[in-house]
Amino acid sequence: MALASGLRPLQVFILLLSARILSVFLVQTWYVPDEYWQTLEVAHKHVFGYGELTWEWQKGIRSYLYPSVVSAIYYALKLTSLDYPTIVVLAPRIFQAILSAFADFSFYKWSGNRKWALFVILTSWFWFYTASRTLLQTTETALVAIALSMFPFKAGKPSYYEKGKEKSLLIVIKFVLPLLPMLMYLAQDVIVPWSRKAKKWQLYTLAGLLVVGNVAPAFYFGTVHQSGPLRVMPLLREEIKDNKTSVLFLMPCHSTPLYSYQKVK
């Protein structure tokens, strides 16, 4: 594994940041409604004064903490008159990509600057697919990685907590995505000792399998699968001239973004 040989911390971070920024522009597919309707649409209505909210927000049972971050981005764009549709779409995703890059770097430091840890996180197709999405779960995953770099566990044991008086660690995770940093850590923790004994051809074979096995789903799910909901947005933007226009979506509920991808007056 010569991937990280000689790389300084700043160079590693730039590499990770480049991968996450790249995903902003390459991943152009719909994943789940929450990516838009629990963040972008809420923030858009708050800052620009018009939009649509789902019933959870109308009933006031959701927290505004994460949408407030997006609201701050929108508000900055509004104040600087940079609230063009394309920038309104890209800015929150770029912010999320930067946060995910910090999480990736924290993961790399948590592993002890291991080359295989860097390789695993760079080749993970699902993290590439989700790392720049404006999902609360994406932010949770990033924060989990950052937290575990500060309060790590090693070899499956919460070593930080064993040093204190507390002998038990309670982990409550609602969704599966925030488990990803721990699973990738365990994966590289298995690969590293094996790699020290493996022959060169075995190392290159494993690296090749990881690349091929992850590039294919990253390409398919990032550019093909469920790409229609986002491809139609620029077309609607050209046709919709004001926010009084009605659009009928003959598809499952909240399967597309709306005002946050239109930015009409």
Side-chain angles (χ1 to χ4, degrees):
M1 279 299 297
L3 177 65
S5 297
L7 287 181
R8 297 178 180 178
L10 180 59
Q11 293 173 316
V12 172
F13 177 73
I14 291 175
L15 176 63
L16 293 167
L17 180 61
S18 299
R20 299 303 158 229
I21 295 296
L22 184 65
S23 72
V24 173
F25 297 94
L26 291 186
V27 178
Q28 296 295 322
T29 53
W30 180 88
Y31 178 35
V32 291
D34 286 10
E35 181 178 357
Y36 313 105
W37 291 95
Q38 305 299 347
T39 51
L40 300 182
E41 298 298 330
V42 179
H44 187 279
K45 183 174 177 61
H46 178 254
V47 174
F48 297 108
Y50 64 93
E52 187 68 30
L53 298 179
T54 57
W55 69 270
E56 305 102 307
W57 299 98
Q58 296 175 15
K59 297 293 184 180
I61 63 174
R62 283 275 188 170
S63 170
Y64 277 88
L65 182 60
Y66 183 56
S68 294
V69 176
V70 181
S71 293
I73 296 172
Y74 284 166
Y75 192 66
L77 295 177
K78 183 179 179 180
L79 285 179
T80 55
S81 299
L82 293 175
D83 52 338
Y84 300 104
T86 301
I87 299 179
V88 168
V89 170
L90 291 177
R93 293 196 62 191
I94 291 174
F95 167 80
Q96 186 62 61
I98 294 172
L99 178 60
S100 294
F102 273 108
D104 294 344
F105 186 72
S106 297
F107 176 84
Y108 173 69
K109 300 297 290 184
W110 169 28
S111 73
N113 300 344
R114 288 175 168 177
K115 304 169 188 176
W116 278 107
L118 181 61
F119 191 77
V120 165
I121 202 165
L122 281 173
T123 56
S124 171
W125 79 265
F126 193 70
W127 186 229
F128 183 82
Y129 177 67
T130 56
S132 64
R133 294 185 181 274
T134 51
L135 274 169
L136 177 58
Q137 289 72 43
T138 300
T139 299
E140 289 174 347
T141 303
L143 295 179
V144 165
I146 294 171
L148 286 173
S149 70
M150 301 170 64
F151 310 105
F153 73 85
K154 295 184 180 297
K157 297 180 180 180
S159 57
Y160 172 83
Y161 297 91
E162 290 175 351
K163 296 177 182 179
K165 296 181 180 180
E166 297 294 333
K167 298 300 182 181
S168 62
L169 172 63
L170 176 63
I171 300 178
V172 179
I173 296 179
K174 184 179 179 181
F175 295 96
V176 176
L177 185 57
L179 291 173
L180 191 61
M182 290 174 271
L183 296 177
M184 288 194 292
Y185 181 89
L186 294 175
Q188 63 84 35
D189 209 34
V190 171
I191 294 174
V192 168
W194 169 83
S195 67
R196 296 186 181 123
K197 302 176 182 178
K199 297 179 180 179
K200 183 175 291 187
W201 70 267
Q202 293 175 314
L203 296 176
Y204 282 108
T205 299
L206 176 60
L209 289 173
L210 286 174
V211 171
V212 174
N214 283 278
V215 167
F219 173 79
Y220 175 70
F221 287 102
T223 63
V224 179
H225 182 66
Q226 298 187 140
S227 61
L230 296 191
R231 287 184 179 182
V232 75
M233 289 296 109
L235 301 177
L236 290 176
R237 192 183 304 145
E238 293 177 2
E239 297 296 328
I240 297 175
K241 304 304 180 183
D242 56 62
N243 60 12
K244 297 180 181 179
T245 304
S246 296
V247 179
L248 175 62
F249 290 94
L250 297 177
M251 56 201 312
C253 183
H254 300 111
S255 293
T256 66
L258 193 56
Y259 290 97
S260 62
Y261 268 59
Q262 296 304 313
K263 190 58 184 68
V264 295
K265 298 296 185 182

